[in-house]
Amino acid sequence: MTSLFQRTTGSALVLLIFSVSAQAQDKTPISLLALDALVVPNQEATVKVKFERADDKGKAIPVSGEPLQLLSEGRVVERAVTDAKGLAEFHVTPKAKGASSLTVRTAASARVTAEGRATVAAWEYRNPVLAVEFGALKKDVTADEPAVDAADELGKLTLFYYHLLYVVSAPDPAFDEFEVSTTARQWLAAHRFPPGFILVVPPTAGAFGSKLDQLRAIGWSGLKTGVGRSRQFAETFLERRLEAVMVPEPPKGDQLKKAKIAKQWKEVRRNF
């Protein structure tokens, strides 16, 4: 079987965040978490991994010196060893356009056994990317229930056209991007939302705007549209002369003149 990846070395462009968790076979609470990478085809990507376990009091402790493997289609494409902080990096180069789901696991010689997953996406810079505010996917900002039709409508938008960038605001300044990503990813999967990349941003004003500017400056010109609930999210796009759709319909005091309005998710596609 021909692998979609080749081994590489050197620096990498890591843009979007996704993480996965696992549990050791001996039932010791353990997490093998990874950050997704976004690159263009034939460009090197880095998959960053965090390996930790919980002590008797539930405190996270790095698992250091453990050999790990990165697999594509069941074939080992790269190896790494965790450092003193429980961190490791894999370097791969996607040869073709598309998103590939990879497996991260401990090697046979490791003291504990764990497995997780990560995604490397190879998109062209001009591919259309739709940014979606995570809070807009829920029935209301305080509930855990998904908004009616949100998953189905996003699925239709991604079927032939858009790639998805889920924008998650961290709960506090001292956030752990691995943990925030894990929680968001598990919720999305549980409610059958289409695959996408999770971008975790600090809970400070202008944080997402700065990241959006950075992504577009790098070359991701297809990131032109945002769908969100909050006024701040919509303003981030409008201030840059990009498109913004607000869903559900906000109170009159939060409506923006140039933003498109969808009363419910069933109406979102009409605005594209």
Side-chain angles (χ1 to χ4, degrees):
M1 181 180 295
T2 301
S3 175
L4 296 176
F5 295 88
Q6 54 182 277
R7 298 183 185 184
T8 59
T9 58
S11 60
L13 171 64
V14 179
L15 301 177
L16 304 179
I17 299 170
F18 164 74
S19 55
V20 288
S21 61
Q23 192 172 43
Q25 290 181 347
D26 62 1
K27 305 303 181 181
T28 300
I30 192 166
S31 296
L32 186 54
L33 311 173
L35 301 184
D36 274 8
L38 173 65
V39 295
V40 296
N42 295 309
Q43 182 183 64
E44 183 184 270
T46 293
V47 177
K48 294 185 177 182
V49 176
K50 180 179 181 181
F51 196 16
E52 62 185 20
R53 65 178 178 84
D55 63 13
D56 294 338
K57 297 181 180 180
K59 181 180 178 181
I61 299 175
V63 180
S64 62
E66 292 298 323
L68 304 177
Q69 299 175 335
L70 185 70
L71 292 83
S72 173
E73 300 178 339
R75 177 176 177 269
V76 176
V77 295
E78 187 70 313
R79 293 177 173 85
V81 177
T82 56
D83 62 17
K85 296 181 179 180
L87 302 176
E89 293 185 358
F90 297 102
H91 301 285
V92 293
T93 299
K95 300 176 182 178
K97 179 180 174 181
S100 299
S101 181
L102 308 179
T103 299
V104 180
R105 74 181 185 191
T106 50
S109 57
R111 292 168 294 177
V112 292
T113 302
E115 184 174 296
R117 299 195 67 82
T119 298
V120 172
W123 299 343
E124 299 293 347
Y125 283 127
R126 295 184 179 180
N127 288 163
V129 178
L130 181 66
V132 182
E133 187 178 23
F134 192 71
L137 303 176
K138 297 188 176 184
K139 190 172 183 180
D140 61 66
V141 294
T142 60
D144 206 41
E145 184 179 353
V148 176
D149 297 318
D152 288 342
E153 292 302 305
L154 282 179
K156 293 172 183 176
L157 284 167
T158 59
L159 188 58
F160 299 110
Y161 197 62
Y162 284 104
H163 298 298
L164 287 181
L165 169 61
Y166 294 108
V167 182
V168 183
S169 179
D172 58 72
F175 70 94
D176 182 327
E177 61 185 13
F178 290 95
E179 294 179 1
V180 176
S181 298
T182 298
T183 300
R185 177 60 62 182
Q186 290 175 343
W187 188 89
L188 290 167
H191 297 290
R192 300 185 178 182
F193 279 87
F197 288 87
I198 298 171
L199 174 63
V200 180
V201 296
T204 54
F208 174 53
S210 296
K211 191 61 179 182
L212 178 59
D213 291 340
Q214 177 186 344
L215 292 172
R216 288 176 57 80
I218 291 171
W220 298 102
S221 57
L223 182 51
K224 298 179 179 179
T225 308
V227 177
R229 177 189 294 269
S230 70
R231 179 186 178 97
Q232 182 179 4
F233 184 86
E235 285 178 333
T236 299
F237 284 86
L238 297 177
E239 289 170 354
R240 292 159 177 79
R241 298 183 180 181
L242 303 174
E243 293 185 332
V245 180
M246 300 185 75
V247 62
E249 184 176 17
K252 290 185 178 180
D254 289 334
Q255 293 184 7
L256 297 170
K257 184 177 181 181
K258 295 184 179 181
K260 299 176 181 179
I261 303 297
K263 293 183 178 180
Q264 53 190 349
W265 270 96
K266 275 287 188 181
E267 300 178 4
V268 169
R269 279 187 296 138
R270 301 176 188 174
N271 292 283
F272 299 109

